[in-house]
Amino acid sequence: PDNGIWEMEQKGQFTHSKALCWLALDRAVNLMRETGASRKRIKKWQEARDRVSRVVLEQGYSPKARAFTQKLGQQELDASLLPLPIHGLIDPYDSRMLSTTKAVRDRLVVNGLVYRYDQGEGQLPDEGAFLICNFWLAHCLALQGDLDSAHQAFQAGLMGAIHLGLMSEEAHPYTLEALGNFPQGLTHIGLINAVLAIQQAET
């Protein structure tokens, strides 16, 4: 258990945290192959990676919510699960990922901007929308071949930039007031990755 990407007050079994454990193990396996590690050592790390993958794919998805959820075995939606296909943990066209993307668009978007999570029963937190989530959504939609929607999510995220082109952590969905940490490097990284994904999908 940890506090998750959003640094929640209560510790829990956050699906996103498990996914990043998988990511670390997967990239470590790639590095070991490149550096000539023994087959036995590589196999041991692969087995650990695959165990984590099974946890995410089997316990992190809720058929009831029709989405990967914030915590294992629960129902709350969380936009931090949009990067699962970006990292390569699941195929972007997998039905579970398609339904997760749809759930985020249906339940976490306000005036084009994406909130990071709900609090159950569709209640959004009392804060601004998280701009990185717009770029995760755009990136994910590009991987799924829905370029029109990817452009819409991307352009909505861009509205959170100030006149200097800098972006904050959050933005008010109606006034576009910059909220939270400013400038936020994570937001800009998400923007760049989304641009590259859209360009690749277009070509």
Side-chain angles (χ1 to χ4, degrees):
D2 63 17
N3 298 90
I5 184 175
W6 309 127
E7 301 174 342
M8 310 290 271
E9 290 184 9
Q10 299 294 323
K11 290 184 181 294
Q13 299 290 351
F14 288 92
T15 307
H16 176 267
S17 298
K18 312 305 178 193
L20 289 197
C21 290
W22 173 88
L23 180 63
L25 290 165
D26 183 68
R27 300 313 189 256
V29 167
N30 293 341
L31 285 172
M32 283 190 285
R33 287 175 177 150
E34 293 180 7
T35 56
S38 69
R39 290 184 180 180
K40 182 178 180 180
R41 183 171 176 81
I42 292 173
K43 182 180 178 182
K44 180 180 179 181
W45 283 67
Q46 285 176 322
E47 289 172 349
R49 176 199 63 188
D50 294 345
R51 285 197 301 272
V52 177
S53 175
R54 287 193 296 272
V55 168
V56 173
L57 297 178
E58 294 173 9
Q59 300 179 42
Y61 183 82
S62 165
K64 181 178 178 180
R66 293 186 54 78
F68 285 100
T69 55
Q70 185 176 81
K71 297 177 185 177
L72 302 180
Q74 298 193 15
Q75 305 300 318
E76 290 78 12
L77 190 60
D78 195 312
S80 69
L81 282 309
L82 289 169
L84 292 182
I86 297 171
H87 298 323
L89 195 154
I90 189 172
D91 188 285
Y93 289 99
D94 187 289
S95 61
R96 293 166 294 182
M97 200 61 231
L98 291 170
S99 63
T100 297
T101 307
K102 183 179 186 304
V104 168
R105 296 177 70 191
D106 289 347
R107 292 161 48 192
L108 295 185
V109 175
V110 176
N111 200 31
L113 294 182
V114 184
Y115 277 78
R116 52 186 178 165
Y117 58 85
D118 65 30
Q119 296 177 324
E121 303 299 327
Q123 297 298 311
L124 294 174
D126 185 20
E127 60 178 26
F130 253 64
L131 294 173
I132 182 64
C133 298
N134 265 81
F135 299 124
W136 282 339
L137 178 59
H139 194 155
C140 190
L141 288 165
L143 292 178
Q144 293 171 343
D146 189 348
L147 285 172
D148 288 342
S149 298
H151 277 286
Q152 290 174 9
F154 184 83
Q155 291 298 327
L158 281 185
M159 295 298 291
I162 67 166
H163 64 289
L164 297 174
L166 296 173
M167 307 190 81
S168 62
E169 183 177 45
E170 307 172 38
H172 190 284
Y174 294 107
T175 68
L176 299 179
E177 177 186 3
L179 303 170
N181 296 324
F182 178 87
Q184 173 57 271
L186 182 63
T187 305
H188 291 267
I189 291 170
L191 183 156
I192 293 167
N193 287 337
V195 167
L196 295 173
I198 292 170
Q199 288 181 338
Q200 185 174 8
E202 289 176 335
T203 57

